[in-house]
């Protein structure tokens, strides 16, 4: 067991306490209470928004070098403490320790990237159609942003939302996910240690009512949300009702096509990574494996053999390959979909059973299901666990049609040695991100992130595209 943290809200640069009725549990050992948490509500959101609005004018007018320096210091602090924070992440979320440290280092690099972007906001000088008139465009901060973040990347996603908002002169109210508040609090604490002024970054811990209060608050100028499609729809309608900016990332049902000409070993490694690592709890995970006839049986056998060799266990055990699901609900969702797939005619090749460990935890055996069809629920609905299904196809065109045949469109991949099919797939795959001979999960932080169809709504996240959401363009005319 490890020490239990007592968490607080962060409002106007101060920790705001009160009672702590909630608990964050270690999914690897549910006897271990990671943190005791407050249960915020509308009053805390009101105070946080007021603090953010009060802080906005000075922060917006601050030199971009001031903002850059603070984000750079925070990046250095987080990188120095990546093992400590990564261990906390793994203890709270269930990623393996290596994955937790890796995510923490990624967050540090995101902070460093946007420290640079704070100095690179640019506009244009344009010729007017009228003699003697000059035109300039430039970007300005907008105001207060509400950030509603998920549990599956509990430090990377809060960072890739907060860093550009802060870099470009906005102030922030963040609601972390219920299962992982301690990891988010570690980020907020480091940003304040790096020198953020009071009120620039605020955090309110609580249940869904906190998120709703942020969405509905008249003092919040924009909302960035990552989570489920159902909740995202409500966020969009709430923000649109009062004409606030809104940005949504809502998951995926991502395909990985494996053609006959693929390198078998590489295809298996790509599927293993994209479908099962991080316990399959990635919105970019490749849960639909669409495999051409000529390679299908060999691919399934080889992937199943690799899966049987993975160790499911405590996230902090260096020998563990697959940590637990983040919660009991997430664990049961995986097993429920396995049962649904069996009832619809699928066949479990490996997995499907419940691991028996020497400690209570929310463990899921990585599961591969074969003999499925595109229309089955297992191939239409997001599972968000270490469960993947295979669909046998006869041709590339059939594979592409199935790949595009869901309501999601976040990430899509193909494994092939054919340049013709690779290029065609890049053009015709209905997804915001396309991978050729790479896992569907695994993206860079300095380029745009987002999907099509019901996966995403609003401007893209990350990289240079973040400026489109967190700033507004002003056009200035002058005559001299």
């Amino acid at each position: 067991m490890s020490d239990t943290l007592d968490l607080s809200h962060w409002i106007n640069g101060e920790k705001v306490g009160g009672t702590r009725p909630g608990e964050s549990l270690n999914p690897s050992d549910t006897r271990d209470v990671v943190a005791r948490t407050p249960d915020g509500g509308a009053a805390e959101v009101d105070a946080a928004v007021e603090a953010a609005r009060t802080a906005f004018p000075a922060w917006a007018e601050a030199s971009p070098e001031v903002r850059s320096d603070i984000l750079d210091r925070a990046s250095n602090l987080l990188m120095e403490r990546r093992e400590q924070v990564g261990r906390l992440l793994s203890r709270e979320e269930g990623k393996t320790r290596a994955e937790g440290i890796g995510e923490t280092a990624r967050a540090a690099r995101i902070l460093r990237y946007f420290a640079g972007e704070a100095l690179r906001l640019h506009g244009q000088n344009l010729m007017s159609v009228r003699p003697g008139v000059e035109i300039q465009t430039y970007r300005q901060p907008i105001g207060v942003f509400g950030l509603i973040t998920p549990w599956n990347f509990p430090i990377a996603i809060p960072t890739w939302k907060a860093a550009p908002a802060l870099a470009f002169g906005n102030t922030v109210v963040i609601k972390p996910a219920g299962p992982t508040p301690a990891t988010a609090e570690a980020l907020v604490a480091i940003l304040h240690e790096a020198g953020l002024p009071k009120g620039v970054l605020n955090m309110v811990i609580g249940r869904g009512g906190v998120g709703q209060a942020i969405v509905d608050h008249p003092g919040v100028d924009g909302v960035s949300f990552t989570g489920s499609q159902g909740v995202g729809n409500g966020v969009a309608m709430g923000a649109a009702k009062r004409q606030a900016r809104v940005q949504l990332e809502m998951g995926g049902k991502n395909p990985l096509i494996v053609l006959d000409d693929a390198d078998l070993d590489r295809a298996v490694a790509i599927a293993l990574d994209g479908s099962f690592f991080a316990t399959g709890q990635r919105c970019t995970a490749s849960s639909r494996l669409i495999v051409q006839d000529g390679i299908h049986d060999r691919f399934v056998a080889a992937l199943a053999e690799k899966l049987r060799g993975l160790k499911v266990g405590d996230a902090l055990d260096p020998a563990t390959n697959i940590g637990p699901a983040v919660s009991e609900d997430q664990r049961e969702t995986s097993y429920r979909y396995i049962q649904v797939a069996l009832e619809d005619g699928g066949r479990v090749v490996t997995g499907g059973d419940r691991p028996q460990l020497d400690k209570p935890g929310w463990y899921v055996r990585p599961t591969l299901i074969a003999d499925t069809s595109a229309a089955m629920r297992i191939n239409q609905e997001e599972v968000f666990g270490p469960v993947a299904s295979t669909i046998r196809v006869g041709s590339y065109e059939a594979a592409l049609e199935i790949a595009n045949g869901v309501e999601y469109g976040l990430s899509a991949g193909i494994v092939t040695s054919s340049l013709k099919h690779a290029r065609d797939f890049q053009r015709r795959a209905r997804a915001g991100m396309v991978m050729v001979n790479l896992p569907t999960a695994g993206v860079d932080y300095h380029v745009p992130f987002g999907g099509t169809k019901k996966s995403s709504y609003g401007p893209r996240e990350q990289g240079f595209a973040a400026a489109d959401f967190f700033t507004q363009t002003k056009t200035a005319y002058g005559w001299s």
Side-chain angles (χ1 to χ4, degrees):
M1 300 291 180
S2 301
D3 292 338
T4 298
L5 304 172
D6 287 326
L7 302 186
S8 302
H9 311 298
W10 280 82
I11 299 175
N12 201 29
E14 304 291 339
K15 290 187 175 185
V16 178
T19 61
R20 296 181 173 86
E23 290 182 337
S24 168
L25 300 181
N26 179 350
S28 295
D29 185 346
T30 54
R31 300 167 298 182
D32 177 23
V33 178
V34 177
R36 288 183 286 266
T37 61
D39 190 11
E44 287 77 14
V45 171
D46 284 343
V49 173
E50 181 181 357
R53 295 207 72 81
T54 300
F56 172 67
W59 184 246
E61 292 299 321
S63 164
E65 190 173 59
V66 170
R67 300 195 293 266
S68 176
D69 286 349
I70 290 172
L71 292 178
D72 189 57
R73 282 196 293 272
S75 171
N76 291 334
L77 288 170
L78 189 56
M79 188 63 81
E80 289 167 5
R81 300 173 193 172
R82 62 188 180 276
E83 293 199 10
Q84 171 190 341
V85 177
R87 184 185 188 282
L88 172 64
L89 189 160
S90 296
R91 181 182 165 214
E92 186 175 49
E93 195 271 349
K95 282 185 170 77
T96 66
R97 187 169 184 181
E99 290 169 338
I101 293 170
E103 182 183 334
T104 304
R106 177 190 178 91
R109 292 186 176 101
I110 292 168
L111 288 167
R112 183 170 294 125
Y113 172 83
F114 281 107
E117 290 299 280
L119 301 169
R120 282 192 285 266
L121 270 184
H122 57 80
Q124 295 177 305
N125 290 322
L126 300 167
M127 296 294 292
S128 172
V129 298
R130 293 168 288 174
V133 176
E134 295 180 348
I135 303 172
Q136 293 177 320
T137 69
Y138 53 96
R139 292 182 180 271
Q140 292 183 310
I142 291 166
V144 177
F145 278 89
L147 311 180
I148 302 172
T149 62
W151 48 259
N152 63 320
F153 284 89
I155 199 165
I157 292 180
T159 302
W160 86 45
K161 292 180 187 295
L166 297 172
F168 302 144
N170 302 285
T171 55
V172 167
V173 177
I174 185 169
K175 179 207 172 295
T180 54
T183 306
E185 199 272 346
L187 171 67
V188 172
I190 282 175
L191 281 161
H192 280 92
E193 184 181 345
L196 272 187
K198 289 185 176 182
V200 170
L201 175 62
N202 307 272
M203 181 179 72
V204 180
I205 297 170
R207 290 172 288 185
V210 171
Q212 193 63 54
I214 290 172
V215 171
D216 294 339
H217 203 291
V220 173
D221 300 293
V223 179
S224 179
F225 166 87
T226 298
S228 70
Q229 199 174 92
V231 177
N233 289 339
V235 170
M237 289 187 288
K241 185 166 57 178
R242 55 183 193 80
Q243 299 180 347
R245 290 192 170 206
V246 65
Q247 177 188 65
L248 309 176
E249 292 296 341
M250 299 174 290
K253 190 65 184 173
N254 309 295
L256 177 69
I257 293 174
V258 180
L259 295 184
D260 283 349
D261 59 12
D263 178 286
L264 179 61
D265 291 339
R266 183 165 185 82
V268 169
I270 286 169
L272 190 71
D273 182 326
S275 301
F276 299 99
F277 288 169
T279 319
Q281 295 176 149
R282 297 185 282 190
C283 56
T284 52
S286 40
S287 58
R288 293 184 296 147
L289 306 175
I290 305 168
V291 188
Q292 198 170 0
D293 272 331
I295 200 173
H296 178 275
D297 291 349
R298 288 182 292 133
F299 171 83
V300 169
L303 180 56
E305 183 179 359
K306 290 289 187 182
L307 286 174
R308 294 185 190 107
L310 296 180
K311 179 183 177 181
V312 178
D314 191 312
L316 298 179
D317 182 346
T320 292
N321 304 116
I322 304 290
V326 74
S327 67
E328 184 178 14
D329 283 348
Q330 285 302 127
R331 178 188 66 184
E332 293 309 309
T333 294
S334 289
Y335 284 111
R336 184 168 67 251
Y337 272 104
I338 292 168
Q339 185 59 38
V340 165
L342 290 174
E343 292 171 356
D344 287 346
R347 171 176 59 89
V348 170
V349 180
T350 188
D353 60 319
R354 294 176 182 261
Q356 300 299 315
L357 277 74
D358 60 357
K359 60 186 69 175
W362 295 312
Y363 298 100
V364 180
R365 183 84 66 194
T367 300
L368 180 63
I369 303 170
D371 301 338
T372 72
S373 67
M376 288 182 181
R377 286 181 60 193
I378 193 67
N379 291 317
Q380 293 291 322
E381 300 173 13
E382 189 174 34
V383 178
F384 222 66
V387 179
S389 51
T390 66
I391 305 170
R392 185 191 296 263
V393 294
S395 67
Y396 165 72
E397 287 295 333
L400 181 64
E401 181 179 0
I402 290 171
N404 289 335
V406 296
E407 63 182 11
Y408 295 97
L410 183 56
S411 183
I414 189 170
V415 190
T416 181
S417 60
S418 165
L419 180 61
K420 172 186 173 182
H421 288 141
R423 289 290 176 83
D424 186 77
F425 183 76
Q426 287 179 319
R427 289 192 301 269
R428 295 170 62 196
R430 294 192 63 198
M433 298 176 290
V434 181
M435 313 293 186
V436 175
N437 295 325
L438 290 167
T440 59
V443 297
D444 287 2
Y445 54 84
H446 66 298
V447 295
F449 177 98
T452 62
K453 297 187 277 187
K454 291 188 177 180
S455 284
S456 301
Y457 181 82
R460 289 289 191 253
E461 294 195 277
Q462 296 204 80
F464 55 84
D468 293 335
F469 183 64
F470 290 109
T471 67
Q472 56 192 356
T473 299
K474 178 171 281 187
T475 305
Y477 293 83
W479 179 81
S480 59

